[in-house]
Amino acid sequence: MVVLGNGFPKPLEVEVPKELEGWEEMYPPHYIFSEERKEWEERQFWYLDKIHAPDPMYPFDLIFHEAWQIALSQYNTRVFCIPPAQGVAQRILGCYFYICAVEPPSEETIKKKAELFQKRAFWVFQNYKSEKLYEKWEKKFRELGEYVKNIEVPDLPTFEPEERVIPEPRGYYSSYDLMEAYDKLIDAIFKAWQYHFQYLNLSYLAYLTFADVVRKLFPGISESTIGKMVAGADVVMFRPQEELAKLARLAISLGGRVVEILKSDKSPEEKIEELKIFPEGREWLRAFDEAKDPWFYVSCGSGWFHYEGSWINTLEVPFSYLKSYIEMLEKGETIERDIDEIHKAREKLVEEYRKLIKTDEDRKAFDEAYKIVRDIYDYAENHLFWVEHWFHTIVFEKMREFGKLFVRYGMLNEVDDIFLFNRFEIPMIIEDLVTAWALGENVPPRAEYWKRKAQKRKKILEAARNWTPPPALGTVPEEVTEPFTVMLWGITSEKVSEWIKGVTYRPEEVTEIKGFASSSGVVEGKARVIRFLDEIDQVQEGEILVCPNTNPSWAPVFTKIKAAVTDIGGLTSHAAIVCREYGIPAVTGTGIATQVIKTGDIIRVDGDKGVVTIVKRAEE
């Protein structure tokens, strides 16, 4: 039986299990609900951010959230000044991550922001293409990623090299270099996230504005139809999958030995070694190496957590996709999206609706909103690869260089233990280490203190995984209207009402669930429930994927499935976008799909109405 609670507690009223004692010290103090901010915090509506943080939060991994809280909010409140919107605030409770859309500002502030918004936001909308704003953004962002790659994490030598002393002492040495390297990395992370939101809020706003115009002109139009009007974007989010498709076709063209090796059950390393010893194999490896950077810097998960891994350091994942692609090609099946057909279908759909508009004024409003969303909406997908995947992969690898240094000098037991400390604590470990180094021979740092702390935190995080926190906290709004909350997180008034009532159900008795009608079409078929990436190879041709959510590294599986159902995500979630691109039905944001649907159940997915029906249960 699943119980979602009987109302929302105030933040300070929540009691966490005793096994979590000490969890607060893992995070910055301003992330903890507190007495001095009690009145304001209780007035807000806080909900678990299951899209970005479904699991207990590792202290260092919080850094990306720290960065987006500032960046997202400042673009709403201080830069583009979206009139009624403020920021999105964050808190941690019992290692779980809560967020809230801050209540609107005063009427006076809204008026002042409106003037700035008209000037600033519409300048971007009108000049996004002509000024090549995306191209400029990508150039500086990739330069920032390369800068992080090149940050050197220095070792601590027994004696400084002579060239740093003679003929002129350098003046600063390895202790400073190490502290500076960490500071450079942290500064770059925050800068990257300032870049991340440079156009993101505006691209979402363009979508919402277009959707609003279309709904007024065509009452009753489905959300998936609106989504299809902006589909067909040639965006980099699909490039990792497209590069794999190219490599699979190259393997087929090079003949039997390459194919035989890639289809074998050997490890990626063994396959690479075998391919090196004959000309066709080396030709395939050259193409493989060219594709790896940047396109294999795609996370095996969401990109937010160090433990997810990426294709570049988890080669089993792309190699398993390659094997599947080659087998599909041998059967004469298609493994690429038909971009031309997607474009034609979109243009036909838009033109059909446009012809139904009766006045020149309405037609003008439609055309203007459509042009803006088609110009800028690509950014919503392009940034996802470059920031959450490519850049985060680089950051995690750089952090592991610090982790290796700590292990080498006995400060921590394991490399990844560094992620058990928040970004403010790691400079203390560095300072402890370089101080002991500077003091000279046989001077111990507090290594055991840091190791004990790491061990304690592992136990706290494990206990937190076994705890079910409240889905929401604080004051319930009369209506959930904040656009990003609805559009991206899929939090609606209806969903909140269900939480408040205290939804109690037996999963085996549920026959129908509802979510967002994210991609149109109706299909019926066998469900395959996947909770983790390492289960993805279980998906069979023609099955319906049921999962918590999806991300770009899952893209290859969309050529095999006939529909998708997710627990989390709104109309602009990854699953929604990709299903529209592949022309398969999708219902997203159901909340409970992976709990009530079992692998083998026969289900019907209605992507027009946002309804999933369990037609027949699988036999036990």
Side-chain angles (χ1 to χ4, degrees):
M1 181 178 288
V2 178
V3 181
L4 294 182
N6 294 306
F8 304 144
K10 304 298 183 190
L12 293 178
E13 294 175 351
V14 178
E15 292 185 8
V16 302
K18 62 179 175 53
E19 291 81 6
L20 271 67
E21 184 180 344
W23 68 268
E24 297 95 333
E25 70 175 36
M26 294 164 62
Y27 309 101
H30 55 284
Y31 265 79
I32 310 301
F33 289 106
S34 58
E35 285 290 343
E36 63 261 44
R37 296 182 296 188
K38 180 179 177 182
E39 182 182 344
W40 183 86
E41 288 172 339
E42 288 188 351
R43 203 168 64 233
Q44 312 302 316
F45 175 59
W46 304 88
Y47 57 92
L48 276 174
D49 181 4
K50 289 188 176 180
I51 286 184
H52 297 112
D55 301 316
M57 180 71 71
Y58 273 77
F60 182 81
D61 294 355
L62 181 66
I63 190 170
F64 301 125
H65 302 276
E66 294 176 58
W68 78 245
Q69 177 176 221
I70 297 169
L72 178 152
S73 302
Q74 75 179 13
Y75 276 104
N76 278 356
T77 60
R78 315 289 178 183
V79 182
F80 289 121
C81 304
I82 298 174
Q86 297 228 78
V88 175
Q90 307 171 354
R91 294 288 186 273
I92 298 279
L93 175 62
C95 304
Y96 283 91
F97 184 68
Y98 287 82
I99 61 174
C100 82
V102 176
E103 57 196 356
S106 67
E107 285 299 321
E108 182 183 0
T109 300
I110 289 176
K111 285 180 184 176
K112 289 179 182 175
K113 289 174 71 179
E115 293 176 14
L116 295 168
F117 174 75
Q118 281 294 119
K119 183 177 181 182
R120 297 177 182 183
F122 279 87
W123 192 93
V124 172
F125 288 148
Q126 291 163 1
N127 295 280
Y128 188 78
K129 286 291 185 186
S130 62
E131 293 291 325
K132 299 185 182 301
L133 295 182
Y134 174 72
E135 288 79 358
K136 293 174 183 174
W137 178 92
E138 183 179 314
K139 179 175 184 296
K140 70 182 180 185
F141 194 85
R142 295 183 71 168
E143 287 173 350
L144 183 63
E146 294 301 326
Y147 166 80
V148 172
K149 277 185 188 176
N150 292 323
I151 293 174
E152 183 182 353
V153 180
D155 204 343
L156 298 171
T158 303
F159 302 106
E160 290 288 345
E162 192 138 305
E163 62 269 22
R164 292 186 178 180
V165 183
I166 297 175
E168 179 186 1
R170 186 175 175 229
Y172 61 93
Y173 294 97
S174 299
S175 57
Y176 176 84
D177 291 338
L178 186 58
M179 293 188 284
E180 184 187 46
Y182 180 75
D183 290 343
K184 283 181 177 178
L185 175 58
I186 300 305
D187 290 347
I189 292 170
F190 275 82
K191 192 171 193 177
W193 274 89
Q194 301 266 319
Y195 287 160
H196 175 284
F197 281 98
Q198 186 168 329
Y199 302 118
L200 186 60
N201 296 5
L202 294 186
S203 67
Y204 284 159
L205 192 62
Y207 184 95
L208 290 168
T209 302
F210 174 69
D212 190 48
V213 169
V214 171
R215 288 191 204 102
K216 287 176 181 172
L217 290 172
F218 311 108
I221 188 170
S222 72
E223 297 299 327
S224 62
T225 301
I226 298 172
K228 278 192 170 182
M229 288 183 179
V230 299
D234 186 14
V235 293
V236 297
M237 187 180 76
F238 291 99
R239 281 293 299 274
Q241 179 265 333
E242 290 167 356
E243 292 298 320
L244 283 186
K246 285 183 196 173
L247 288 169
R249 288 198 179 278
L250 177 61
I252 293 286
S253 71
L254 290 173
R257 196 170 171 191
V258 174
V259 168
E260 182 184 336
I261 292 170
L262 291 175
K263 284 173 61 181
S264 72
D265 293 327
K266 296 173 181 172
S267 70
E269 292 74 19
E270 290 171 328
K271 290 177 182 178
I272 289 170
E273 288 303 312
E274 286 195 26
L275 288 164
K276 284 179 181 176
I277 61 179
F278 61 101
E280 293 84 0
R282 289 194 291 273
E283 183 179 344
W284 188 89
L285 282 175
R286 279 194 293 275
F288 173 72
D289 287 337
E290 288 173 6
K292 281 196 299 188
D293 190 358
W295 306 118
F296 280 26
Y297 281 64
V298 59
S299 170
C300 298
S302 63
W304 291 88
F305 304 104
H306 70 276
Y307 50 79
E308 295 172 323
S310 299
W311 285 9
I312 195 72
N313 51 34
T314 317
L315 287 175
E316 293 79 7
V317 175
F319 271 84
S320 71
Y321 287 143
L322 276 168
K323 179 182 178 184
S324 174
Y325 272 179
I326 290 171
E327 290 171 348
M328 290 173 69
L329 288 172
E330 288 177 329
K331 288 188 270 184
E333 296 174 358
T334 302
I335 58 174
E336 295 94 353
R337 291 180 305 153
D338 191 335
I339 289 284
D340 289 339
E341 276 303 311
I342 294 171
H343 280 298
K344 285 178 186 174
R346 185 198 68 241
E347 289 169 5
K348 182 182 177 185
L349 178 69
V350 171
E351 191 53 33
E352 286 174 352
Y353 274 93
R354 192 175 181 278
K355 286 178 181 175
L356 298 175
I357 301 173
K358 295 175 181 173
T359 69
D360 290 342
E361 186 180 357
D362 285 346
R363 198 171 295 111
K364 183 183 177 187
F366 178 88
D367 288 345
E368 288 180 352
Y370 184 63
K371 180 183 184 306
I372 288 173
V373 74
R374 286 292 300 159
D375 279 354
I376 198 171
Y377 193 64
D378 287 4
Y379 182 82
E381 301 314 315
N382 286 336
H383 87 282
L384 182 65
F385 173 79
W386 290 117
V387 184
E388 280 97 320
H389 293 267
W390 181 71
F391 187 77
H392 284 193
T393 298
I394 295 169
V395 168
F396 287 136
E397 288 303 297
K398 191 59 64 177
M399 281 303 297
R400 288 190 172 94
E401 292 185 34
F402 285 96
K404 289 173 184 171
L405 185 79
F406 289 167
V407 170
R408 195 156 59 245
Y409 285 92
M411 302 297 284
L412 296 175
N413 288 324
E414 297 176 29
V415 173
D416 277 11
D417 285 354
I418 194 170
F419 299 109
L420 291 161
F421 297 88
N422 70 53
R423 73 178 178 95
F424 299 102
E425 295 174 313
I426 293 171
M428 287 194 282
I429 304 177
I430 293 175
E431 184 178 328
D432 187 8
L433 174 61
V434 300
T435 299
W437 171 80
L439 287 169
E441 196 170 67
N442 296 326
V443 180
R446 287 201 69 186
E448 293 307 313
Y449 170 82
W450 301 114
K451 288 177 183 175
R452 283 197 304 274
K453 198 175 272 287
Q455 288 303 112
K456 179 183 176 184
R457 293 180 176 187
K458 285 180 182 177
K459 292 179 180 175
I460 291 174
L461 288 167
E462 185 59 36
R465 289 186 193 97
N466 297 321
W467 178 52
T468 302
L473 305 166
T475 303
V476 180
E478 291 183 7
E479 186 177 3
V480 178
T481 57
E482 203 283 320
F484 300 132
T485 303
V486 176
M487 185 172 165
L488 185 58
W489 280 278
I491 306 298
T492 63
S493 296
E494 183 182 12
K495 187 160 289 183
V496 173
S497 296
E498 289 183 359
W499 288 347
I500 294 171
K501 291 173 186 172
V503 180
T504 302
Y505 58 86
R506 294 182 184 280
E508 63 275 17
E509 295 175 355
V510 175
T511 58
E512 183 179 284
I513 56 178
K514 295 179 180 177
F516 288 92
S518 292
S519 184
S520 63
V522 181
V523 298
E524 189 172 304
K526 181 180 172 185
R528 175 68 64 174
V529 181
I530 297 293
R531 289 186 173 80
F532 305 102
L533 180 66
D534 58 6
E535 300 170 347
I536 201 74
D537 59 356
Q538 298 173 13
V539 178
Q540 301 298 310
E541 188 81 24
E543 291 185 328
I544 296 174
L545 175 66
V546 180
C547 57
N549 60 356
T550 67
N551 59 67
S553 71
W554 290 40
V557 84
F558 285 85
T559 58
K560 298 171 72 174
I561 60 175
K562 61 194 318 187
V565 181
T566 70
D567 290 341
I568 306 165
L571 296 167
T572 57
S573 62
H574 177 263
I577 293 166
V578 177
C579 284
R580 290 197 290 268
E581 296 286 313
Y582 281 96
I584 58 178
V587 176
T588 62
T590 63
I592 56 174
T594 58
Q595 297 176 55
V596 303
I597 299 172
K598 305 297 181 190
T599 292
D601 288 351
I602 303 300
I603 62 175
R604 183 184 303 116
V605 180
D606 187 335
D608 298 313
K609 297 178 179 175
V611 175
V612 181
T613 306
I614 300 169
V615 179
K616 183 183 177 184
R617 287 288 185 184
E619 294 181 3
E620 296 292 339

